[in-house]
Amino acid sequence: MSSVEKKCDKREPFYLSPCPKSKTSAEIINEARRSLRVVSTRRPFTPKDDQRHLFGQSSSRTADGRPPSAFSLYARHFEEPDSRPGSGKRLSPLEHKPKLPVAPDDDPDAPPSLPRPPPDPLQHRRGSGSRPRPLKSAPPTGRPPARPSEDHMKRRASDCAELCRPAPCGDGNAPLKGRSLTRAQSQGDCETSGPLRLVGERLSSRTSCPATAESPAKSSVPAQGATDLGGGEVKDPLEESVFWETQIAPLLQQLESDPQDGAAGVERLCGACRRLHCMLGQADLLGRRCGRRGVLLRALFRLIDVGSARLTLELAELILALSVSGNNLLNICKLVFKISRSENNDTLFQNNSIVDSLVCVLRSEDVLPAAEAALYCMGTLKFLSGNRALLRALVAAGCVPALLRLAGGLTRDAPPGHAHFTVSGHILVQLTATLRNLVDLPEARPPFLSNQGFPALCAVLRHHHGDKDVCTNAARILSKLSSYSECCTALASFPGCYGVFIELLRKHQKKQDLVLRLVFTLGNLTAKNADARERLWAEPGALDTLLGLFLSYRGPDAPPQGPGDPPRPSEREDVLIKLIRVLANLSIHPAAGTALAADGQCVELLLSVLELRAVEDCEELVINAAAAVNNLSFYREEGSSVRARELAVAQLMLQLLLSRSRAGMLEATRVFGNLSQSRTVRDFILQHKVHQFLVTLLDSKSPDVCFSACGVLVNLTADRDKRAPLREEGLIQKLLECLRDLGPEDWQLAGLLCQTLWNSTEDGAALCYNEQETASLLHLLTLYLDEDVIHQWHAGEDVREVQRACWELEFLPVAQRLRSRIQSLQEPLGGPC
């Protein structure tokens, strides 16, 4: 980017214009002519919490009012079959006895079953000899089976191809016939090299042999569809029974009989769990569709006491896939949470698909009945998101949209006063902390550009405005996202955010970390978006709230400094830095700027910072205050408090100009550019020898510094009594050198240099320039006014339009007039520029 384009976002030259220009090319030049500058700052620093707890040490929650982070869990804590409550009804014996060899199963996780009437005897006659197909519907409650992500599906398919192989029956001479239970791949289950083969219409006379990991599949038959009458594929119970005996039972026996000590034993158990998961997925028996789900769950629960973190994660993934609910769901989420508390176990989560299962738990339509389980599930994701190596895996699992949807659901279904409002607040603490870590990745930000991202966060802030933990985490998310242009634009376009921010600032003035991040976010919004300035200014009570914060945080708060440490702002000063930035950016809006310049309290607070703080102690604070004063000094209306105190402001800028801070010197020069439109301030500049310093600045060879210095010099040379002292300082020669060295790359600066040279020749060109200076000036002007030369210099398509517009509107008119004057060597007929 050229220096002209950089200056488009910074300032307008401060000089007495000879005549107003038409705005025919306003879209190109308008930004290049602005004197009001946007102020930037660094993002607040958030220290990392080294210990993994649900609520950190800085949490506002008391120990008695929050769930524990440490606990013990064993197999006995999971519900057994006899803990299932009865239905409360006595059933009469049935005359009809089913012929199916499947024994009723006590499901430790199932809700009470409702009594069923005996089947219609006529049903048997309609089948023309075929076997009746009783329907086994899923219980009315419980979670659906976890729907894996795309990456999860690929990993599971790869594992299944290696681990899940259907076993042969008998001696291999009697192949199984009938319908495969393989579910369509489009349903998200894993696939293998061949579908599992089960008995169809009739059972073979041979008995199936147990399947082993080493038994390869010899043949397979194509899968056929099954009737779907209740949201899932309905299986023939007889086929399921054979599948259980031939495929599942041997694996369960292996799980119960395998030695459970040592790494080799744990490895075998983990492999058996993966094979079991794949087989159940292939047969579409995950969720609550398996007839012997209770037997399966009891076998898995007993393995929890092995105590291996790796095995526990394999068990947890399978148990969650079986759609447990109630106390069992809570205990599984607690177990996974307990494992995730140790950073040493993070590698286990990298090699496991448990993250997909946890995200599926949080995607539930109604999470409030299992709120405590969701809390520990969220706590796990929060811990894992603290490891940068796992961030991409979490984002790939769809974590960000799932969490935003969950946040919206909690604020909608558990408003203030709701029975679950407290626990939803606990969940939102973990949720917002997780999002805070995830948004560091670029691929995590697109969901916030949609209609659900920022409105969901603002709804969280609105409903939980009294929860410091939730508000601080949400403010950290917003401060991060607002640092990126697209996210900042999306947030600025949501009108509801400004009222929420102002209300939080009003309510939590003493909560420094929250205030810091909110004002930083407001500073980003007002720096990059004109609509944001207008909306913030129109928000009722916005100015009073901002000035109230200024009064609260302006007191001294010197941080402890070690010997040789560089100066750094204290926490209170950091709030002031961000707050003054908001005022400076807000003042770019004409209505806001005029009102702020006329507000005596605002001007007094800014000047007090310049009076009481040395630039060497806190440079950023002083520079931001000077930038705000610069923006306010642009407004020259009669009621301006800056104009009423212009000499006091000039004295403070003189101190800053003479400091060792280059940034402070540049900012003070800009303020003098506005103030020097007053004759009183111009006299002050000459009286205190400021003009000598300004002429010296022309040697800097920096376009920004020369531009600011010329902004003051062009105003000084408008006074006849100040031209001679400036010429004595070598002004003409330095202006020519700047025009020669910097003109071709910055036509706006070149035009300002020519206007200063024009004003310097008001006493006559022959008196102002010697022969060498006159020849040098004419040569430069002739060269710069040649359109062919300019076209060659700016041949790039990306800069040609801006550069040529600046050349035509900023440089060409005044350069032509100046060349005519020098060539004539006559007394000028016009007035000063």
Side-chain angles (χ1 to χ4, degrees):
M1 180 180 290
S2 69
S3 59
V4 174
E5 293 171 293
K6 292 178 182 177
K7 212 172 265 88
C8 287
D9 286 332
K10 292 186 175 181
R11 67 194 75 80
E12 176 184 6
F14 308 108
Y15 52 86
L16 303 177
S17 178
C19 57
K21 290 186 175 67
S22 62
K23 296 182 181 292
T24 54
S25 300
E27 289 78 11
I28 300 175
I29 296 303
N30 186 38
E31 290 297 318
R33 300 295 307 273
R34 281 171 42 194
S35 64
L36 304 179
R37 298 189 313 107
V38 167
V39 179
S40 60
T41 186
R42 67 183 186 280
R43 199 177 74 201
F45 171 71
T46 300
K48 182 181 178 181
D49 193 352
D50 294 332
Q51 296 184 344
R52 292 187 172 186
H53 298 288
L54 272 176
F55 305 96
Q57 297 178 351
S58 60
S59 174
S60 61
R61 285 164 165 74
T62 60
D64 297 335
R66 60 190 187 190
S69 295
F71 39 75
S72 298
L73 278 175
Y74 302 98
R76 58 185 172 83
H77 291 103
F78 289 81
E79 293 180 351
E80 293 297 328
D82 58 358
S83 66
R84 185 184 71 179
S87 65
K89 297 184 179 181
R90 183 183 298 276
L91 303 181
S92 301
L94 301 179
E95 295 181 1
H96 169 71
K97 296 181 180 180
K99 299 178 181 180
L100 301 177
V102 183
D105 176 32
D106 289 325
D107 190 337
D109 189 65
S113 300
L114 296 177
R116 297 181 182 178
D120 186 354
L122 297 177
Q123 185 76 15
H124 297 278
R125 302 194 187 104
R126 300 191 188 106
S128 299
S130 63
R131 183 177 61 255
R133 301 167 67 96
L135 305 180
K136 187 176 187 301
S137 61
T141 60
R143 297 186 177 278
R147 295 300 304 273
S149 66
E150 184 177 351
D151 291 340
H152 185 186
M153 292 163 56
K154 293 178 180 178
R155 290 193 299 268
R156 180 62 63 192
S158 176
D159 291 342
C160 288
E162 180 67 24
L163 298 174
C164 298
R165 301 181 186 276
C169 290
D171 56 4
N173 297 323
L176 296 176
K177 303 177 182 179
R179 183 172 59 251
S180 168
L181 292 182
T182 306
R183 193 178 187 183
Q185 295 178 14
S186 61
Q187 297 297 318
D189 291 323
C190 50
E191 60 180 357
T192 63
S193 56
L196 297 174
R197 301 171 55 212
L198 303 177
V199 173
E201 300 300 325
R202 295 184 179 180
L203 287 174
S204 171
S205 58
R206 296 182 179 271
T207 304
S208 304
C209 66
T212 61
E214 292 78 14
S215 303
K218 294 186 178 181
S219 63
S220 62
V221 295
Q224 299 178 11
T227 307
D228 188 345
L229 297 176
E233 190 176 351
V234 178
K235 301 296 182 294
D236 189 319
L238 188 57
E239 292 179 351
E240 182 179 321
S241 175
V242 175
F243 174 71
W244 180 277
E245 297 298 335
T246 59
Q247 303 292 337
I248 304 301
L251 275 178
L252 292 183
Q253 183 179 3
Q254 179 184 350
L255 289 174
E256 294 178 353
S257 61
D258 222 349
Q260 299 174 357
D261 55 340
V266 169
E267 177 63 32
R268 287 193 296 271
L269 291 174
C270 290
C273 286
R274 288 194 294 271
R275 290 194 295 275
L276 180 59
H277 197 159
C278 287
M279 289 181 178
L280 292 171
Q282 284 182 313
D284 194 27
L285 294 178
L286 292 175
R288 293 176 176 266
R289 291 183 287 271
C290 181
R292 300 190 184 186
R293 179 171 170 274
V295 175
L296 184 59
L297 285 174
R298 278 193 295 273
L300 298 176
F301 290 157
R302 283 193 290 270
L303 291 175
I304 289 173
D305 287 343
V306 174
S308 165
R310 181 182 175 187
L311 176 60
T312 301
L313 288 183
E314 294 286 353
L315 292 169
E317 185 178 0
L318 179 52
I319 291 171
L320 288 175
L322 291 170
S323 299
V324 293
S325 60
N327 190 59
N328 290 338
L329 175 63
L330 171 60
N331 287 337
I332 282 296
C333 291
K334 279 187 171 182
L335 279 175
V336 178
F337 171 84
K338 186 177 180 180
I339 294 171
S340 69
R341 288 195 63 192
S342 173
E343 294 186 19
N344 297 329
N345 292 331
D346 285 357
T347 55
L348 299 179
F349 289 89
Q350 287 180 283
N351 302 322
N352 191 286
S353 301
I354 187 66
V355 169
D356 300 86
S357 302
L358 297 178
V359 173
C360 287
V361 171
L362 299 176
R363 285 199 183 109
S364 172
E365 290 292 337
D366 188 9
V367 76
L368 290 179
E372 193 174 0
L375 171 64
Y376 286 101
C377 184
M378 272 307 326
T380 300
L381 295 179
K382 180 185 74 172
F383 295 156
L384 298 181
S385 67
N387 186 337
R388 297 194 64 86
L390 290 169
L391 285 181
R392 297 191 186 279
L394 290 171
V395 173
C399 201
V400 176
L403 298 192
L404 289 175
R405 183 172 178 271
L406 175 60
L410 291 174
T411 53
R412 180 188 64 249
D413 300 334
H418 192 276
H420 289 96
F421 180 73
T422 300
V423 70
S424 70
H426 295 335
I427 296 174
L428 286 171
V429 172
Q430 317 306 316
L431 186 151
T432 50
T434 306
L435 285 177
R436 177 196 65 198
N437 296 332
L438 292 177
V439 295
D440 288 332
L441 285 182
E443 41 276 47
R445 299 171 200 148
F448 289 93
L449 303 179
S450 65
N451 294 328
Q452 67 168 348
F454 291 117
L457 281 181
C458 290
V460 167
L461 289 171
R462 188 182 304 109
H463 284 77
H464 294 267
H465 58 82
D467 192 328
K468 178 180 179 293
D469 298 337
V470 172
C471 291
T472 301
N473 284 341
R476 285 170 174 165
I477 298 170
L478 294 170
S479 69
K480 284 186 175 183
L481 290 176
S482 63
S483 301
Y484 304 101
S485 182
E486 290 184 351
C487 294
C488 186
T489 301
L491 177 58
S493 64
F494 178 57
C497 70
Y498 303 96
V500 173
F501 295 163
I502 293 299
E503 181 60 30
L504 288 174
L505 290 174
R506 187 182 297 117
K507 183 178 180 63
H508 298 294
Q509 283 196 7
K510 303 300 181 182
K511 296 177 180 177
Q512 192 164 285
D513 48 353
L514 175 59
V515 170
L516 178 65
R517 285 156 181 84
L518 288 176
V519 294
F520 174 77
T521 302
L522 285 174
N524 288 341
L525 296 179
T526 53
K528 301 177 181 179
N529 196 288
D531 291 337
R533 300 177 197 124
E534 183 174 357
R535 287 171 176 166
L536 178 59
W537 178 249
E539 195 63 41
L543 179 58
D544 293 338
T545 301
L546 295 176
L547 293 182
L549 289 171
F550 205 143
L551 286 169
S552 299
Y553 285 91
R554 68 171 179 169
D557 180 22
Q561 301 276 345
D565 289 347
R568 64 182 185 274
S570 66
E571 294 179 351
R572 295 173 66 89
E573 286 176 338
D574 207 14
V575 173
L576 275 184
I577 289 170
K578 273 64 175 177
L579 180 60
I580 293 175
R581 176 182 177 233
V582 175
L583 294 173
N585 294 343
L586 190 60
S587 63
I588 296 176
H589 186 272
T594 302
L596 289 172
D599 191 298
Q601 183 184 32
C602 178
V603 174
E604 180 63 32
L605 288 171
L606 291 172
L607 295 183
S608 67
V609 172
L610 296 172
E611 290 173 355
L612 302 177
R613 307 296 175 102
V615 68
E616 292 80 11
D617 296 334
C618 188
E619 183 178 37
E620 188 177 6
L621 175 60
V622 175
I623 299 305
N624 280 11
V629 171
N630 173 54
N631 284 359
L632 297 182
S633 66
F634 173 80
Y635 301 97
R636 304 290 297 171
E637 285 75 6
E638 288 294 333
S640 171
S641 294
V642 177
R643 183 176 179 181
R645 303 192 57 181
E646 57 188 11
L647 284 180
V649 175
Q651 186 64 49
L652 292 172
M653 292 303 107
L654 176 59
Q655 297 176 11
L656 189 58
L657 189 67
L658 300 177
S659 69
R660 296 182 178 180
S661 169
R662 177 183 175 87
M665 170 210 63
L666 183 58
E667 205 60 56
T669 306
R670 290 168 178 158
V671 177
F672 272 122
N674 278 338
L675 296 180
S676 60
Q677 296 181 53
S678 166
R679 177 65 185 246
T680 303
V681 175
R682 294 199 294 271
D683 292 341
F684 173 90
I685 290 174
L686 208 68
Q687 179 183 355
H688 290 82
K689 311 295 184 185
V690 178
H691 66 288
Q692 298 177 355
F693 192 84
L694 295 172
V695 173
T696 304
L697 289 179
L698 296 177
D699 291 329
S700 67
K701 303 306 179 184
S702 166
D704 285 340
V705 174
C706 291
F707 189 90
S708 299
C710 276
V712 187
L713 292 171
V714 74
N715 289 338
L716 292 177
T717 53
D719 294 338
R720 182 179 295 272
D721 61 330
K722 297 178 178 60
R723 295 169 193 156
L726 289 170
R727 284 197 296 267
E728 292 174 2
E729 299 297 327
L731 174 63
I732 303 300
Q733 183 61 37
K734 294 184 184 298
L735 291 173
L736 292 175
E737 291 174 356
C738 283
L739 183 61
R740 180 193 64 202
D741 298 336
L742 303 177
E745 65 182 72
D746 191 339
W747 293 116
Q748 190 183 9
L749 172 60
L752 187 55
L753 290 167
C754 287
Q755 294 196 45
T756 308
L757 289 167
W758 172 277
N759 286 354
S760 301
T761 60
E762 282 295 302
D763 296 329
L767 297 176
C768 298
Y769 303 156
N770 58 38
E771 184 177 351
Q772 182 179 359
E773 291 172 342
T774 301
S776 177
L777 178 57
L778 286 174
H779 172 73
L780 290 174
L781 292 176
T782 302
L783 181 64
Y784 292 170
L785 290 173
D786 190 332
E787 291 195 33
D788 293 335
V789 174
I790 300 304
H791 182 78
Q792 293 177 3
W793 284 351
H794 305 302
E797 293 293 335
D798 54 339
V799 299
R800 180 182 300 173
E801 183 181 3
V802 173
Q803 290 281 22
R804 184 167 184 84
C806 287
W807 179 80
E808 289 180 350
L809 298 179
E810 299 290 330
F811 175 75
L812 185 62
V814 67
Q816 288 175 337
R817 293 177 61 197
L818 180 60
R819 183 174 64 173
S820 299
R821 170 174 285 185
I822 299 300
Q823 287 175 339
S824 66
L825 294 178
Q826 296 177 355
E827 290 296 322
L829 299 177
C833 289

